[in-house]
Amino acid sequence: MARNGLAGETPVNALRLLGWAAAGHVTQRAAQAWRSGSGARGTAPAHEPRTTPILPGVSVIVPAWNDADALEGIFPALSAALTEYPGEVQLLLVAGGQDGTFERAQGLLRSPPAPNVRGAVLPQTARGKNAALNLGVQAAHHDLLVFLDADTTVEPGWLPALVRPLVGERAEATTGRFSAYTPTPVSGLFEVDQLAGQVLDGRVTLFGGGSIALSRAALDRVGGALPEDVPVGVDWDLSERLGQAGARFAFCEGARVRTEIAQTWPEYWRGEVRWRRAYLRGQMRHLRRDRRPGRLLGLLYVPLVQAAVLLGWLAFPTAARVARRPARSGLLAWGLFAGWVLGRHATTCLRVYAYTRDPRWLRLTPTYLLSFVVSAAASWSAILSLGRVSAHFKGQRRRRTEP
């Protein structure tokens, strides 16, 4: 009897030990997150120059498909931003669609915004965002190219801040800092990830909603044009191609824009499923050229962890019964695992709060935890529907028709 009692206590003791270990690891991660965020406060980004360089001419390319209203909405701020730029600016509106976007774009450029700005409207057909950008690249007169989404409103000082790191070849591609038109807990998820990844971790990923600037030389390193067979996830794909070619990136906090971001959970779900499909298809595309084990592991690791959190409440008790242990031991093991994963995930909000000292990021923690579960379900929905990919110009559109 004593032997049976001891055997029954063994899994309980093991789970208790695992629980303390998980709690200790989450606590250690939280302390590390606080130190990391606090240590980054007040430090100037490495790419910000001490002196103001002479800024060269730039070509700003705005692809717009069925975006007549959005284009008119952003144009006043864009005109003001281009007017204040000290160099020459070529503004190229690549417009098309069934809502009269091309004609409205022509009306916007009927009078040049300023003497330093020359504009042109290029017609496009329904061939996707990269095809539209390629039309702009072919017509561009300058060696510095700026890509701006048709629903992104720029703020004062945006263009000089975005271009400066490209001068002197300190960087070959840059992206700006975005915020949502209408801040909500859901839209805040994207801003937390932006601050954590781009600012605190220094993992710069080019994002069209934040605007992108790059040198023509950088684009030449990846073929001189954007691949038109990539229907969605084109910004990530550009980042990936440039990164593989060794291009240097810079995140420009001073290049601020406001853009359309998912505001509700249904919008978040649709965007996540679409993005996860694009990401998985993009990774598989790049795996054909880059077969390093790390890329394959990176492709599989997150979906497998997410599946364990989602389905572990079934799998862990089943495994416990197979091992002739009580099912509740499996449920406890799953609870410890899920708590460990979600606890580590929550430290991102703490880290961003430590950096900004803005309490809204800390208050976002419950939403951020729920987003992990929603994203996990979206990942597996995307895996099961990889063939359902259509061309998109921007992640979240409320008033648009797909090409």
Side-chain angles (χ1 to χ4, degrees), residues 59-186:
S59 294
V60 179
I61 303 169
V62 184
W65 178 264
N66 282 338
D67 274 325
D69 292 340
L71 193 59
E72 285 193 341
I74 72 162
F75 198 77
L78 178 59
S79 297
L82 301 185
T83 298
E84 70 178 7
Y85 186 74
E88 292 184 1
V89 178
Q90 180 191 23
L91 175 59
L92 298 168
L93 305 181
V94 189
Q98 298 85 30
D99 69 343
T101 298
F102 179 76
E103 292 76 16
R104 300 268 281 275
Q106 285 181 313
L108 292 173
L109 284 185
R110 192 163 287 126
S111 299
N116 68 316
V117 180
R118 294 187 178 183
V121 181
L122 308 176
Q124 65 155 312
T125 55
R127 293 169 50 214
K129 184 176 179 179
N130 273 356
L133 289 172
N134 282 337
L135 290 173
V137 170
Q138 291 166 13
H141 297 158
H142 299 289
D143 289 331
L144 295 187
L145 309 171
V146 173
F147 300 157
L148 181 71
D149 285 343
D151 67 348
T152 298
T153 299
V154 302
E155 297 191 3
W158 156 75
L159 190 54
L162 191 69
V163 168
R164 280 193 200 106
L166 302 177
V167 179
E169 298 183 349
R170 285 175 289 108
E172 294 163 281
T174 65
T175 193
R177 178 172 173 178
F178 66 85
S179 59
Y181 282 121
T182 306
T184 68
V186 172

Side-chain angles (χ1 to χ4, degrees), residues 198-254:
Q198 307 270 50
V199 178
L200 297 177
D201 289 338
R203 297 192 316 268
V204 180
T205 301
L206 304 180
F207 177 62
S211 68
I212 295 170
L214 71 161
S215 65
R216 193 182 291 272
L219 191 58
D220 287 342
R221 291 170 67 177
V222 291
L226 300 161
E228 298 182 11
D229 60 343
V230 178
V232 67
V234 298
D235 306 326
W236 177 86
D237 186 77
L238 177 60
S239 276
E240 195 70 10
R241 290 172 185 274
L242 289 173
Q244 290 177 14
R248 300 180 303 279
F249 297 163
F251 175 72
C252 307
E253 282 204 75

